[in-house]
Amino acid sequence: CSILEVSKARYSLHMKRQGTAATTSRDKDRLQLMRPALLAPFVQYLDKQGCDSERLLKAYQLDRGDVAHNRGLISGGHVHACLAEAARATRNPQLGWQVGTSLDHWRYSLLQASLVDSNSVGDVLIHLVNTTDAHATATSYHLAIDNHYSRFWELRHYHSDHPGQADAFTLGLLYAMLQKCSGQDWAPAELLLETSDPVLLPARLAARVAGPITGVALRITLPTGWLRKKLMPRPTGLSNIRISEPIALDIKAYLESMLGPHLSNPDLDSQAAALQCGSSLASLNRALVQEGSSVARVLRELRLSTAARMLLDTDTPLPGIANAVGYRNVASFSRAFRHWASQSPGSYRGQVEQAT
């Protein structure tokens, strides 16, 4: 059957989702996570501009390998903050749009799978709707098709203070794809682009622009006939298409990776830990309750297990270990360690030395 018939079969589902565009209490309970590969085009742009992308990534416990190989996860709020900082660093308020419109779609890892499995623009959009969970738990894509015009939009499941660059990037990505696929039929005046911060789009854009919109991150309205436009040919020599699996969330591992570099901060309590992870304390605790744990417990165990490794693997004196894992003095560290390990730090180290 045609792409239009396939899409109309899903029409009622997507329209139902549209009715819940505002962030719900259930949405707020989600951990808002994304794949780090979302940042890859921006890292490449910063490198070309001579900016310190390493410093920017390090601020969010990431490195080039994480971004290039799509390792680990990053909170949606941190993605938006990172992109806002990148725009300031380059003094380019339209950074998101510029990166999105200049991107080689076939070489963007998070779009490759959708392109490989598609023959038309409509195929790509439906594939994005059905595979959102491979890239993010923080957002979802939706498609509604009508006789004359169709709408594709991104629903954000949380509040963010500065999402504009990410929204402009996605709009730019779609805009450029439509332009390339339309060829001589390109008519940008037929498009309506809506986003959270339209100021971040070019002032003299041929398409119509509206906003700011609330509840929805972005929305693009296009002629329904454009869904049948054929895709750009796949470049020769392109191989190693990586298809991401849905995000499987190991909450404890995620917390440990985000909090590990900050253990020496004695003010890192549960609230500060949630802030560092880009989520609310209530959301994290609800996610951990299924494992019989909490943020406070994960943080305490991470501190004391790190201290135990230092006792075994280093000659660092107890005051140094206490400071390294965030205790203000040896007495409070020793009490916590005794309660956790059923022996004092000195006895724990001594037993291992005696065994050796």
Side-chain angles (χ1 to χ4, degrees), residues 168-185:
F169 167 76
T170 304
L171 274 179
L173 191 70
L174 295 172
Y175 184 90
M177 182 179 70
L178 290 172
Q179 183 177 16
K180 292 176 181 178
C181 295
S182 296
Q184 294 181 348
D185 297 330

Side-chain angles (χ1 to χ4, degrees), residues 125-158:
L125 298 184
I126 289 177
H127 195 276
L128 287 173
V129 168
N130 292 333
T131 59
T132 308
D133 59 356
H135 309 311
T137 65
T139 59
S140 57
Y141 293 125
H142 305 266
L143 176 66
I145 296 176
D146 207 341
N147 290 331
H148 300 293
Y149 286 91
S150 298
R151 288 168 295 156
F152 179 83
W153 69 95
E154 180 181 329
L155 179 61
R156 186 160 36 244
H157 300 293
Y158 63 105

Side-chain angles (χ1 to χ4, degrees), residues 24-32 157 282-284 286-287:
T24 65
S25 59
R26 184 177 178 182
D27 291 331
K28 292 177 182 177
D29 292 343
R30 302 186 186 190
L31 289 183
Q32 314 304 343
H157 300 293
S283 296
L284 288 172
R286 273 189 286 267

